[in-house]
Amino acid sequence: MVSVTLAVLGGGGNLGPWIVSELVSAGLSVTGVTREGSTNSTPKFQEGLDVKTVNYNSFDALKEAFTGQDAVVSVVGAPGINAQKLAVDAAIAAGVQRFIPSEFGVNTRRVRDQPIGKVLAGKIAVVDYLQEKAKEHPGFTWTGLTTGLFFDSVFKLGSSGINLQEKTVTIIDSGNEKWQASRKSHIGKAVVGILKHPEETANKYIGTASFNLSQNELVAIVEELTGQKLAVIPQSSKDLQKVGEEKLAQGDYRAFVDLLRVHLHADGAGNALQDAANEVLGLPFEDLREVVKSLL
Ligand SMILES: NC(=O)c1ccc[n+]([C@@H]2O[C@H](COP(=O)([O-])OP(=O)(O)OC[C@H]3O[C@@H](n4cnc5c(N)ncnc54)[C@H](OP(=O)(O)O)[C@@H]3O)[C@@H](O)[C@H]2O)c1
Ligand SMILES: *[C@@H]1O[C@H](CO)[C@@H](O)[C@H](O)[C@H]1NC(C)=O
């Protein structure tokens, strides 16, 4: 797959444009795919990109859109996760060689039996489905990519615990647990890396990150760069997990944010990036201090 022709589903959203621009920069031929009846009022497809509007409920329409493509990359948001199964069927029928599902976050292979796994059940089912289909159809392959937290918005979302306006930081347990975080540009480059290394990445769930960091490391850098101390608000992961599980029991999927923070930051969580594929993908880790400086 050295010269790759590929279709990107949901490429006009939050993450999508970063992936599309890296694919285009790498010289790959890209077609954007958007839903018929899309409610995304601000699609950010880059100028000049060939974009096809497709009925995601139609096998035939998807198959037609995927015909002639070597790969399909899905960057659909949460409401579109389940729609990927029909897209997988259509990709196989169209002779597509590689499907990259919309993962780009938590390593969903590790959370099947946990409360956070309930929120991610759709993603887990899609990767299970890909595994099954790749066994049935030699020649069809997939790659799942875990990236950890998007780092670009880490100060806005509060998922790092840091509140720059209030000059506070909510530290979970000791604050020393390492976690996985990626910039969106890094994720785009990782997708290019997968397509440029098709053999090493075939039928695998792999991980990458810009950083392998702890809350305390991040706080030290922010304090040094701003010359201001952040007041520490301690939080126990046990309490936060309970809050998340209570929300989940009421069907409130906003539980994800609480469960995610425990997943990332709790002492002993063990969800730091393991077996990084950075080297296979030809991607270095990034300089945390420099990136934080650019985001402050
Ligand atoms: N690690 C992190 O911190 C983090 C943060 C955010 C997201 N993510 C993950 O990154 C991936 C992309 O997320 P995102 O924030 O970029 O998503 P997004 O902007 O919310 O949505 C991306 C695109 O999905 C399509 N879409 C929306 N509803 C759909 C539906 N019902 N059926 C089919 N497609 C639909 C839309 O494209 P069209 O309207 O053009 O069809 C939309 O522009 C997801 O897997 C998400 O979980 C990770
Ligand atoms: C990230 O840090 C954890 C904890 O120290 C370690 O186990 C893991 O190997 C590190 N990952 C990488 C890719 O350096």
Side-chain angles (χ1 to χ4, degrees):
M1 268 187 269
V2 175
S3 82
V4 182
T5 305
L6 79 169
V8 180
L9 299 175
N14 166 28
L15 174 63
W18 297 84
I19 293 184
V20 169
S21 73
E22 293 294 344
L23 291 168
V24 170
S25 298
L28 308 180
S29 136
V30 182
T31 303
V33 179
T34 180
R35 277 166 306 153
E36 201 170 276
S38 166
T39 44
N40 184 354
S41 53
T42 55
K44 294 174 298 235
F45 286 113
Q46 71 178 60
E47 226 170 286
L49 189 76
D50 173 29
V51 178
K52 283 187 183 157
T53 303
V54 177
N55 177 352
Y56 279 20
N57 299 315
S58 162
F59 171 84
D60 291 334
L62 286 164
K63 184 182 164 194
E64 194 189 319
F66 297 159
T67 298
Q69 312 280 356
D70 299 323
V72 171
V73 180
S74 172
V75 202
V76 294
I81 293 296
N82 296 332
Q84 293 178 107
K85 282 193 182 173
L86 192 60
V88 170
D89 293 340
I92 293 168
V96 167
Q97 295 161 44
R98 177 66 50 93
F99 193 101
I100 300 179
S102 192
E103 284 286 315
F104 311 120
V106 166
N107 182 336
T108 63
R109 297 285 89 192
R110 299 180 59 151
V111 297
R112 192 184 292 270
D113 301 322
Q114 297 171 19
I116 198 172
K118 290 208 178 100
V119 187
L120 296 168
K123 285 188 170 185
I124 295 171
V126 168
V127 177
D128 288 349
Y129 193 67
L130 283 164
Q131 272 178 340
E132 234 174 78
K133 292 289 149 183
K135 279 192 198 125
E136 288 169 20
H137 301 273
F140 173 75
T141 60
W142 61 276
T143 308
L145 183 71
T146 167
T147 59
L149 197 67
F150 291 180
F151 195 77
D152 309 67
S153 39
V154 80
F155 295 123
K156 267 190 225 142
L157 293 174
S159 35
S160 71
I162 294 177
N163 184 329
L164 289 174
Q165 278 71 45
E166 307 283 334
K167 300 189 181 65
T168 59
V169 56
T170 304
I171 294 277
I172 295 176
D173 300 342
S174 72
N176 288 324
E177 185 71 15
K178 296 269 197 186
W179 42 286
Q180 178 192 4
S182 296
R183 299 178 82 194
K184 289 188 240 181
S185 54
H186 180 92
I187 299 173
K189 291 189 180 91
V191 171
V192 171
I194 290 171
L195 297 168
K196 291 209 162 160
H197 300 90
E199 273 113 50
E200 298 96 313
T201 57
N203 301 328
K204 281 191 185 137
Y205 195 92
I206 59 175
T208 189
S210 297
F211 316 110
N212 190 31
L213 77 169
S214 70
Q215 281 197 293
N216 287 338
E217 281 166 10
L218 183 59
V219 168
I221 289 174
V222 170
E223 288 183 337
E224 184 220 317
L225 289 171
T226 60
Q228 269 168 337
K229 282 270 168 205
L230 298 171
V232 173
I233 305 168
Q235 182 157 50
S236 115
S237 60
K238 277 207 186 76
D239 293 349
L240 190 55
Q241 180 73 14
K242 216 167 131 211
V243 170
E245 289 186 23
E246 276 163 13
K247 283 184 194 161
L248 201 57
Q250 285 160 15
D252 180 353
Y253 274 39
R254 281 172 299 181
F256 184 67
V257 179
D258 305 312
L259 298 174
L260 179 65
R261 290 177 61 211
V262 174
H263 176 86
L264 296 170
H265 305 315
D267 281 359
N271 293 313
L273 179 61
Q274 307 295 339
D275 307 323
N278 284 43
E279 213 166 299
V280 171
L281 301 176
L283 281 178
F285 284 91
E286 299 188 64
D287 184 331
L288 182 60
R289 195 176 178 281
E290 283 309 307
V291 172
V292 169
K293 203 170 163 186
S294 73
L295 292 178
L296 282 172

